[in-house]
């Protein structure tokens, strides 16, 4: 079934677009992007069964601008996968796919005062980060006010019982002066098989203070459970080549980790523990030159019931050369209350552009304070390395990338993987 | 309690409308798209390099892609996705924000290591600790019935 919804639909869409292109669209009004990813790896199962896996993925995107109707455009994106050797272990895993979005967009061509979208689309704003089959409207018609609303069927709650009784609707109203401040209220209601699955109220704020200090904040109220789900507030304090970003977050699991049916068991379980967590810390950045950056982050976790406090430290640095080349290092430490919740992380990477080609390398090493637990098979470290290379052809429209990965970790003694990715942008 | 919250919501909405009626700031409209230069949508870039530090009509400093931007962009993204859409197609966001996928973002874009994508390297053993310390960070992307399919084979 997924095959029909995703892969076949995507291939059909490409075929239709290619057929229509010479008739209705010039290269400027029609853009098609194809990403083909071929992965090769061998796996040994627990039972001693060896599997050779060769999944081939196709990610296909279409963007079409109607030349005779200013403001009207069509956008679609989906993926499909077939296995050319063994399947992933389940009978229905031979092929899969998903239509991620396919919508018509109309943006007021005269003043850009309003926008209407119709079809499957992702909505990111206020309390919403959802995939919706429906309609979305946004308007700036009233001075200093931006209002948006949407309604339709939520894609994320679809299950084997189908979509009967599923619905989603919501809105966000913001008032502000761009760049100075804005205050917004948002609402979201999700229904699943006839009953309320989620109902959130949210508020977000941005405020520019003296000395270019900025306050950002976001709060949600769960109307189903009757409690505050999240408070996230952050200050941004720039000072010449430095910037400090202290933040504070508070989550109440019962109100944030929704007990929605169909979700994964750990979230449903944790939402019943009555736990709260306060997270406070800061990010800090230093830019000594335009091509050089240093960053650091400290996070402190304080729990109400279950665990003792925890700390997370990250420091990193990156140097760039001529926009595209970059070399970076990172070091991290997670310090939980017990040894099982502690690890060190180190990473180094390079992306070097030698146009029209590039080479990459990436190494990640993690050392666990205590690997002597059931789920770690007695191992206390994980090592990952990846090298890659690529080259652009046809005036950068065709991009061929190859990467080889190696991993030695608690779950794999020696894991080798190869990935070939071919991207082609028609109409570029 | 529920009715009280909804009434407060409506009252706040009316206040917003009142503020709007009083305001007389000239309207500014974002362009639909940023000019396509230097593979902008695929790079981690600092908007202020070209746009400077002027705060109005858009405070571009707020959208500078710092080395930690992948993990901390949600507060600015929630407020106006049109800013993100200037440089990024929705498909770019779908590398992570997706209903269902089999390829984690760092595998789908294995050679774009400068993007510092979530779960890079071997994450299976690390996620036990990160998930225990902060399940809310997992829930944002894996919380709904479709996207939690990646969790269910082991966790149920």
């Amino acid at each position: 079934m997924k095959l029909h919804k995703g892969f076949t639909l995507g291939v059909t869409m490409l075929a239709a677009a290619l057929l229509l292109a010479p008739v209705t669209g010039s290269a400027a009004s029609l853009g098609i992007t194809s990403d083909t990813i071929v992965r090769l790896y061998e796996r040994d199962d627990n039972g001693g069964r060896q599997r050779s896996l060769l999944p081939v993925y196709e990610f296909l995107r279409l963007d079409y601008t109607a030349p005779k109707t200013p403001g009207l455009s069509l956008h679609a994106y989906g993926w499909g996968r077939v296995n050319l050797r063994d399947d992933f272990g389940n009978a229905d895993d031979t092929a899969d796919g998903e239509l991620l979005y396919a919508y018509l967009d109309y943006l007021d061509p005269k003043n850009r005062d309003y926008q209407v979208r119709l079809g499957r689309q992702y909505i990111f704003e206020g309390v919403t980060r959802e995939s919706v089959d429906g309609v979305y409207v946004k308007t700036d018609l009233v001075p200093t006010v931006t209002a948006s609303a949407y309604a339709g069927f939520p894609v994320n709650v679809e299950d084997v019982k189908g979509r009967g009784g599923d619905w989603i609707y919501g809105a966000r109203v913001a008032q502000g002066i761009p760049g100075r401040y804005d205050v917004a209220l948002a609402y979201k209601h999700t229904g699943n098989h006839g009953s309320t699955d989620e109902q959130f109220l949210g508020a977000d704020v941005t405020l520019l203070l003296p000395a270019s200090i900025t306050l950002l904040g976001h709060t949600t109220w769960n109307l189903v459970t009757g409690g505050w789900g999240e408070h996230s507030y952050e200050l941004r304090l720039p000072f010449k080549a430095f910037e400090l970003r202290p933040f504070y977050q508070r989550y109440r699991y019962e109100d944030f980790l929704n007990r929605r049916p169909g979700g994964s068991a750990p979230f449903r379980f944790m939402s019943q523990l009555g736990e709260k967590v306060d997270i406070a810390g800061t990010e800090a950045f230093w830019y000594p030159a335009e091509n050089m950056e240093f960053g650091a982050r400290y996070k402190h976790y304080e729990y109400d019931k279950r665990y003792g406090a925890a700390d997370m430290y990250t420091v990193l640095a990156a140097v760039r050369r001529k926009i595209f080349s970059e070399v970076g290092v990172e070091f991290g430490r997670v310090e939980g209350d017990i040894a099982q919740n502690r690890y060190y992380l180190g990473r180094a990477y390079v992306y070097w552009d030698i146009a029209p080609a590039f080479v990459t390398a990436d190494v990640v090493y993690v050392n666990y304070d205590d690997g002597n637990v059931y789920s770690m098979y007695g191992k206390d470290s994980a090592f990952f390395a990846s090298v890659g290379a690529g080259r652009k052809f046809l005036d950068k429209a065709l991009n061929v990338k190859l990467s080889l990965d190696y991993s030695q970790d608690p779950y794999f003694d020696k894991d080798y993987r190869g990935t070939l990715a071919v991207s082609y942008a028609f109409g570029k | 309690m529920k009715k009280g919250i909804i009434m407060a919501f409506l009252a706040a909405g009316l206040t917003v409308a009142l503020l709007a009626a009083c305001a007389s700031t000239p309207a500014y409209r974002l362009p639909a798209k940023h000019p396509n230069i230097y593979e902008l949508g695929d790079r981690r870039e600092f908007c202020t390099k070209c746009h400077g530090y002027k705060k109005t009509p858009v405070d571009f400093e707020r959208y500078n892609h710092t080395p930690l931007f992948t993990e901390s962009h949600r507060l600015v993204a929630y407020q106006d996705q049109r800013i993100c859409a200037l440089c990024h197609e929705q498909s770019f966001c779908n590398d992570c924000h997706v209903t269902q996928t089999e390829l984690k973002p760092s595998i789908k874009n294995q050679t774009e290591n400068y993007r510092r994508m979530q779960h890079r390297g071997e994450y299976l053993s690390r996620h036990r600790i990160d998930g225990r310390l902060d399940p809310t960070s997992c829930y944002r992307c894996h919380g709904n019935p479709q996207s939690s399919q990646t969790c269910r084979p082991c966790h149920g």
Side-chain angles (χ1 to χ4, degrees):
Chain A
M1 187 60 194
K2 286 283 185 185
L3 177 68
H4 295 287
K5 288 167 67 179
F7 190 75
T8 305
L9 221 160
V11 171
T12 309
M13 199 169 72
L14 173 63
L18 287 173
L19 284 171
L20 287 172
V23 183
T24 60
S26 64
S29 60
L30 176 68
I32 296 173
T33 306
S34 160
D35 290 292
T36 307
I37 298 172
V38 183
R39 302 187 72 210
L40 172 65
Y41 49 103
E42 309 270 338
R43 282 281 153 84
D44 294 336
D45 282 352
N46 277 339
R49 177 184 163 213
Q50 282 195 331
R51 283 187 296 149
S52 174
L53 300 167
L54 185 65
V56 178
Y57 293 87
E58 172 64 24
F59 291 79
L60 199 62
R61 197 184 91 210
L62 179 148
D63 300 284
Y64 178 71
T65 305
K68 291 182 181 172
T69 314
L72 184 66
S73 57
L74 169 72
H75 307 271
Y77 182 55
W79 65 271
R81 183 262 302 150
V82 290
N83 287 335
L84 298 184
R85 286 189 186 164
D86 298 342
D87 65 36
F88 289 169
N90 301 319
D92 60 350
D93 257 349
T94 302
D96 206 344
E98 184 82 14
L99 179 67
L100 297 175
Y101 62 76
Y103 62 87
L104 275 171
D105 183 294
Y106 184 73
L107 177 64
D108 167 28
K110 195 176 174 190
N111 299 317
R112 296 195 287 276
D113 275 341
Y114 62 92
Q115 182 178 26
V116 182
R117 284 182 171 178
L118 185 67
R120 175 169 292 190
Q121 58 195 291
Y122 275 78
I123 299 169
F124 304 103
E125 60 183 18
V127 288
T128 304
R129 46 182 186 282
E130 294 285 344
S131 174
V132 175
D133 282 338
V135 62
Y136 168 85
V137 182
K138 189 164 193 166
T139 176
D140 298 294
L141 278 168
V142 181
T144 78
V145 174
T146 299
S148 60
Y150 60 89
F153 301 101
V155 180
N156 291 331
V157 300
E158 186 180 356
D159 57 22
V160 289
K161 294 179 194 167
R163 308 180 78 176
D166 295 354
W167 71 87
I168 186 168
Y169 57 87
R172 181 175 179 268
V173 180
Q175 197 279 326
I177 298 173
R180 294 289 174 198
Y181 78 94
D182 64 66
V183 186
L185 294 165
Y187 174 76
K188 177 174 86 164
H189 192 142
T190 311
N192 189 3
H193 298 311
S195 59
T196 297
D197 193 39
E198 284 184 321
Q199 199 178 6
F200 278 106
L201 275 178
D204 56 78
V205 63
T206 311
L207 181 61
L208 181 66
L209 299 163
S212 294
I213 295 169
T214 303
L215 169 73
L216 295 160
H218 176 70
T219 287
T220 63
W221 174 268
N222 189 329
L223 286 159
V224 175
T225 56
W228 299 109
E230 172 187 5
H231 299 289
S232 289
Y233 288 84
E234 176 182 311
L235 271 175
R236 295 187 175 182
L237 302 102
F239 181 71
K240 294 184 177 173
F242 295 90
E243 189 182 14
L244 207 60
R245 296 184 175 183
F247 58 82
Y248 170 75
Q249 300 166 356
R250 183 182 178 85
Y251 299 94
R252 199 164 169 259
Y253 288 3
E254 185 182 355
D255 306 308
F256 187 81
L257 307 174
N258 206 331
R259 288 182 210 175
R260 61 200 308 181
S264 188
F267 301 126
R268 293 201 304 274
F269 169 69
M270 281 184 281
S271 69
Q272 296 170 46
L273 299 175
E275 182 65 278
K276 283 179 270 188
V277 60
D278 291 280
I279 307 170
T282 189
E283 290 181 357
F285 302 101
W286 176 41
Y287 309 106
E290 195 175 272
N291 67 336
M292 199 178 289
E293 53 191 354
F294 293 90
R297 181 177 56 204
Y298 169 66
K299 282 175 117 170
H300 177 74
Y301 299 82
E302 199 72 54
Y303 305 92
D304 193 42
K305 291 182 179 173
R306 198 173 174 199
Y307 293 108
D311 295 287
M312 186 179 282
Y313 308 85
T314 305
V315 290
L316 41 79
V319 179
R320 295 188 199 187
R321 180 183 170 271
K322 290 185 179 175
I323 301 178
F324 295 133
S325 297
E326 182 170 323
V327 179
V329 290
E330 176 179 344
F331 176 77
R333 169 69 174 163
V334 170
E335 182 119 359
D337 57 332
I338 55 174
Q340 286 178 16
N341 289 338
R342 294 174 194 160
Y343 66 81
Y344 289 98
L345 180 146
R347 182 185 174 218
Y349 68 92
V350 58
Y351 180 100
W352 207 253
D353 190 67
I354 36 176
F358 64 88
V359 290
T360 69
D362 200 347
V363 180
V364 182
Y365 178 73
V366 182
N367 188 277
Y368 297 96
D369 285 25
D370 184 3
N372 193 25
V373 290
Y374 159 75
S375 58
M376 295 283 280
Y377 302 100
K379 293 184 180 173
D380 59 5
S381 68
F383 175 77
F384 169 84
S386 174
V387 291
R391 192 184 193 283
K392 292 179 174 121
F393 301 91
L394 305 176
D395 196 23
K396 297 185 181 177
L398 177 66
N399 197 353
V400 180
K401 298 173 274 191
L402 177 70
S403 63
L404 300 169
D405 310 333
Y406 170 77
S407 183
Q408 189 172 17
D409 54 68
Y411 298 96
F412 298 102
D413 288 334
K414 288 175 185 171
D415 189 33
Y416 296 94
R417 283 174 291 176
T419 305
L420 174 69
V422 180
S423 304
Y424 182 69
F426 171 82
K428 189 168 181 175
Chain B
M1 184 60 185
K2 214 170 180 180
K3 279 184 182 171
I5 292 288
I6 291 172
M7 289 304 288
F9 182 68
L10 289 172
L14 283 172
T15 310
V16 164
L18 191 65
L19 281 167
C22 300
S24 59
T25 306
Y28 170 76
R29 297 289 179 266
L30 286 167
K33 279 284 169 197
H34 192 286
N36 190 15
I37 53 165
Y38 301 124
E39 303 172 14
L40 193 62
D42 295 326
R43 297 280 158 179
R44 186 173 63 77
E45 206 39 273
F46 275 58
C47 312
T48 48
K49 265 188 192 173
C50 297
H51 294 280
Y53 292 86
K54 201 177 159 198
K55 298 298 177 186
T56 56
V58 178
D59 181 2
F60 285 103
E61 189 178 8
R62 207 180 291 167
Y63 303 94
N64 276 346
H65 289 40
T66 69
L68 298 168
F69 190 77
T70 312
E71 286 138 275
S72 61
H73 66 281
R74 65 190 179 90
L75 287 181
V76 289
Y78 284 163
Q79 291 173 349
D80 200 344
Q81 67 173 9
R82 289 177 298 190
I83 301 266
C84 310
L86 286 172
C87 303
H88 301 295
E89 300 296 336
Q90 205 170 90
S91 59
F92 180 87
C93 310
N94 287 144
D95 281 352
C96 302
H97 299 283
V98 67
T99 317
Q100 187 212 344
T101 190
E102 290 177 357
L103 295 177
K104 63 176 181 174
S106 59
I107 288 179
K108 181 171 179 279
N109 305 283
Q110 188 70 274
T111 52
E112 279 88 73
N113 51 20
Y114 49 83
R115 283 170 63 181
R116 198 176 182 274
M117 273 174 282
Q118 308 287 9
H119 310 341
R120 190 151 188 88
E122 193 279 321
Y123 193 69
L124 207 53
S125 52
R126 218 179 333 148
H127 94 284
R128 302 170 313 111
I129 297 173
D130 291 355
R132 278 199 291 260
L133 297 184
D134 186 8
T136 65
S137 65
C138 309
Y139 185 82
R140 285 185 199 286
C141 297
H142 297 282
N144 67 59
Q146 283 282 332
S147 61
S148 66
Q149 285 182 37
T150 48
C151 315
R152 281 204 290 270
C154 297
H155 292 293

